[in-house]
Amino acid sequence: MLNLLSVSGLVNERNNKTFIKKSIDTRVAFYSGCFFFLGIVIYTITAFQSTGYHHYDEHYQILEFAIFKMGLSAHQGLAWEYDARIRSSFQPTIAVAVFQAAKVFGLYDRYVWALLLRLITAGLALHSIRRFVNVYLLEIDKRLIFTFLFSSYFIWFLPYINVRYSSESWSGIMILYCISNLHLQATEYTQKKLLFTGFLLGIAILCRYQVAFSVVGILFWFYFIKKSNQKQLLLVLSGLSLALITGIVLDKMFYGEWCFTMYNYFRINIIDGVASNFGVAPWYQYLLYILFCPTAILGFFILLSLLWYTTKINDILFWVIIPFFLIHCIIPHKEIRFLFPLVNFIPILTIKTWSTIITKKLQYYKLYQIIIFPLIVLINIIGLAGASLKGAGESTLNIAKYIHYNYSSQSIKLIIMPGCNPYDQIAPNNYFYRNNNVTMFLINQPHLLRFMANDNRFGANLIVMNEQMASKISNTIYGLKLLKVEQSIEPLSQYFINYYSPTLNLKNLSLYEIIK
């Protein structure tokens, strides 16, 4: 009788554990679905708000290349990289395909074209993040699962970066998806999955050549540490080779001649040192970027995680991140955007690091619960609001967008004060967003405003300047009937930006209409 009771109790205990495990799995699945849905909302809002480009390369080496291929701009308006044949045509070719498809549906607005590219990027990013999260959930301390899900989608800079149709964002998204495929049990590998993974690794290289260092690291891990067989490695290499060959064929079609753009890029920027002409920095500059750019609090945890991961030689993430990071430390020219391909790995790095810390001492987990997690949530709320509600970069194209949608039926005289051109921040010309109804007048002397203000030849007379300039020349414009109609950074975004980068608000442009 005692034995029967013992067996019955054991069965009940196992059933209870199974029930609890299923309850936890159900709860995690529910949270995961909620975060994914919320991610769709926030990433879509960010895509709509993020007009323009974070860096010039995102625009001049993709969108301008695309419309030139479509016959919508002149050769003299192209960046020097076109004639140097150092840019892969993969992303410009996709842009051409999207723009042509948009025209089939009667969409000719170029702001809409750019928006479609951002929405496509956001969709790919969300899909890759969701897949990555699902693969790694089993490795996360149950106490940190909620944090892992939240941070994978909503570290404050992730939505902004993950909607960019840029080489950095697309290469990072492709690598993220590939890691999800390779970080599986060997029995789950199929021929199609391995071929597709290799193909995406090749696409990642076509998007941004520098991620080749991560790809080599991944292949090293796959064969020597994961102990995959030669057939599996060959399948991955076959997919990768197919992507690179496709890239060469696309380059021939795009440039009109056979060219090896990857080699040209390496020769011109690295061997000839052209990249260094845009500035050089010491090897430790990226450590400073990591520490301060995300805010010092987040930066500390990210840097701590990076240092901790240098010892995890058997982990695939080591081979994705460390070779890429070290090579970039060696290259003299440094920009924070060069690290963007790695940003989606930050959540798993920090969570795994913190998990190791709290398993050693319980008080660390209490510290995390009471102080660290609430503080990180607060930082993210401010950061998300600031980054997701404003235009890309310095947001100057918001002025051009406002003119496009509110004065499209009129001839426009646009008076531009020094450094306040909403269309062309640098040479060459911005043909993609150019408005043919706008005639621009750049003036250096504020007193000329009075002579140029009213002009009956134009349907609308507009002035664009920054806030500091408006206050300095207030005496000059006194008496002119000016109506402020738009500013490049909205007041709500300005409020949140003040907590992160107050200097950005100093570049806020204002658009005034001169009332006749």
Side-chain angles (χ1 to χ4, degrees):
M1 183 67 176
L2 183 61
N3 290 337
L4 287 174
L5 288 174
S6 299
V7 171
S8 177
L10 184 60
V11 170
N12 287 335
E13 183 181 352
R14 288 177 178 174
N15 288 338
N16 287 336
K17 287 183 178 179
T18 302
F19 175 77
I20 292 171
K21 185 178 184 300
K22 286 182 178 179
S23 298
I24 293 173
D25 290 344
T26 302
R27 190 165 65 244
V28 170
F30 174 75
Y31 287 149
S32 181
C34 288
F35 280 123
F36 180 69
F37 176 77
L38 185 59
I40 293 174
V41 174
I42 292 179
Y43 279 55
T44 301
I45 292 173
T46 305
F48 272 87
Q49 294 293 110
S50 198
T51 300
Y53 45 88
H54 176 79
H55 187 270
Y56 305 117
D57 289 357
E58 181 183 337
H59 175 85
Y60 288 99
Q61 295 189 39
I62 298 180
L63 301 189
E64 294 292 343
F65 280 20
I67 62 169
F68 172 72
K69 187 65 178 177
M70 296 170 69
L72 301 176
S73 67
H75 179 270
Q76 60 265 29
L78 294 174
W80 66 270
E81 288 89 345
Y82 181 87
D83 289 331
R85 304 292 195 263
I86 68 171
R87 175 76 193 193
S88 167
S89 63
F90 175 73
Q91 283 186 272
T93 299
I94 290 180
V96 170
V98 171
F99 298 163
Q100 296 288 16
K103 289 169 64 176
V104 171
F105 290 95
L107 299 173
Y108 293 88
D109 191 322
R110 296 185 187 180
Y111 288 92
V112 174
W113 289 1
L115 172 61
L116 290 175
L117 293 176
R118 294 196 297 272
L119 289 173
I120 291 170
T121 305
L124 290 174
L126 286 166
H127 177 64
S128 296
I129 292 171
R130 182 173 174 81
R131 182 170 176 78
F132 184 84
V133 163
N134 289 339
V135 168
Y136 271 91
L137 267 177
L138 295 176
E139 299 182 16
I140 305 301
D141 188 311
K142 287 183 173 57
R143 294 170 293 180
L144 299 177
I145 283 178
F146 187 90
T147 308
F148 175 59
L149 291 170
F150 174 83
S151 60
S152 293
Y153 292 100
F154 304 125
I155 290 181
W156 67 265
F157 46 82
L158 288 185
Y160 173 81
I161 294 174
N162 282 329
V163 304
R164 306 253 62 82
Y165 188 69
S166 66
S167 64
E168 297 86 5
S169 295
W170 268 57
S171 60
I173 291 169
M174 299 300 156
I175 293 291
L176 187 72
Y177 191 90
C178 291
I179 298 304
S180 303
N181 280 353
L182 294 178
H183 192 65
L184 298 169
Q185 298 299 321
T187 54
E188 298 181 65
Y189 293 150
T190 64
Q191 290 187 0
K192 289 183 179 179
K193 183 173 290 185
L194 291 174
L195 277 170
F196 184 60
T197 299
F199 187 78
L200 289 185
L201 288 175
I203 295 299
I205 294 174
L206 293 180
C207 291
R208 186 157 188 83
Y209 299 135
Q210 292 89 330
V211 301
F213 297 106
S214 288
V215 171
V216 171
I218 291 169
L219 295 174
F220 183 92
W221 171 89
F222 185 67
Y223 187 70
F224 291 102
I225 297 177
K226 183 72 171 180
K227 303 297 184 183
S228 299
N229 58 51
Q230 292 182 354
K231 180 181 178 181
Q232 290 173 328
L233 179 63
L234 184 61
L235 286 168
V236 175
L237 289 174
S238 297
L240 191 152
S241 301
L242 178 60
L244 296 182
I245 292 171
T246 301
I248 293 173
V249 173
L250 288 177
D251 288 345
K252 168 63 170 66
M253 296 169 62
F254 194 86
Y255 291 110
E257 62 185 34
W258 290 107
C259 53
F260 192 17
T261 53
M262 188 185 303
Y263 169 74
N264 292 341
Y265 183 94
F266 177 77
R267 176 177 56 82
I268 292 174
N269 278 324
I270 304 301
I271 297 178
D272 296 344
V274 172
S276 297
N277 294 336
F278 298 98
V280 297
W283 68 267
Y284 56 81
Q285 183 63 51
Y286 283 121
L287 298 178
L288 299 179
Y289 282 149
I290 292 172
L291 183 58
F292 295 111
C293 287
T295 69
I297 296 173
L298 288 177
F300 170 77
F301 287 106
I302 295 171
L303 188 58
L304 176 66
S305 303
L306 180 66
L307 294 175
W308 180 75
Y309 243 87
T310 57
T311 64
K312 305 300 175 181
I313 195 168
N314 290 328
D315 195 313
I316 188 173
L317 298 180
F318 172 95
W319 296 99
V320 173
I321 296 167
I322 302 304
F324 182 91
F325 183 80
L326 291 178
I327 290 296
H328 278 75
C329 287
I330 295 171
I331 297 173
H333 179 57
K334 296 175 176 63
E335 297 180 38
I336 184 61
R337 68 184 176 96
F338 294 163
L339 299 183
F340 283 2
L342 303 179
V343 294
N344 285 303
F345 296 105
I346 290 174
I348 188 66
L349 294 187
T350 52
I351 292 299
K352 279 196 166 187
T353 302
W354 189 250
S355 178
T356 302
I357 294 172
I358 66 174
T359 52
K360 294 182 178 180
K361 291 189 177 180
L362 183 62
Q363 59 263 37
Y364 290 148
Y365 179 63
K366 293 179 179 178
L367 175 67
Y368 164 80
Q369 278 185 309
I370 298 171
I371 299 176
I372 295 176
F373 180 71
L375 188 58
I376 289 175
V377 170
L378 178 62
I379 291 172
N380 269 283
I381 291 173
I382 296 172
L384 272 175
S388 297
L389 296 177
K390 64 178 285 296
E394 296 178 0
S395 303
T396 55
L397 266 169
N398 278 346
I399 297 295
K401 182 179 179 181
Y402 183 87
I403 294 172
H404 174 75
Y405 284 114
N406 291 274
Y407 297 94
S408 59
S409 60
Q410 306 177 56
S411 59
I412 303 157
K413 178 179 185 177
L414 182 63
I415 301 172
I416 301 172
M417 301 303 291
C420 298
N421 192 331
Y423 294 96
D424 301 313
Q425 293 297 306
I426 62 168
N429 293 324
N430 183 337
Y431 281 99
F432 187 83
Y433 293 108
R434 175 72 68 231
N435 190 328
N436 293 327
N437 293 336
V438 175
T439 303
M440 292 186 286
F441 295 87
L442 280 72
I443 63 172
N444 295 317
Q445 301 299 326
H447 69 271
L448 296 176
L449 278 175
R450 286 186 173 276
F451 300 100
M452 301 185 66
N454 292 301
D455 195 332
N456 293 326
R457 294 175 301 167
F458 297 89
N461 292 289
L462 307 174
I463 302 175
V464 60
M465 65 184 83
N466 60 42
E467 295 293 333
Q468 288 180 315
M469 201 169 296
S471 61
K472 287 180 181 179
I473 65 174
S474 57
N475 292 332
T476 303
I477 63 176
Y478 180 77
L480 291 177
K481 295 180 180 179
L482 299 181
L483 175 64
K484 185 176 179 179
V485 293
E486 180 66 328
Q487 59 186 54
S488 58
I489 304 176
E490 294 297 327
L492 181 61
S493 294
Q494 284 186 292
Y495 174 79
F496 289 110
I497 287 170
N498 273 328
Y499 290 95
Y500 172 68
S501 180
T503 56
L504 183 58
N505 281 331
L506 299 178
K507 300 177 182 180
N508 183 32
L509 299 184
S510 294
L511 181 68
Y512 296 87
E513 181 176 356
I514 304 172
I515 308 301
K516 298 179 182 180

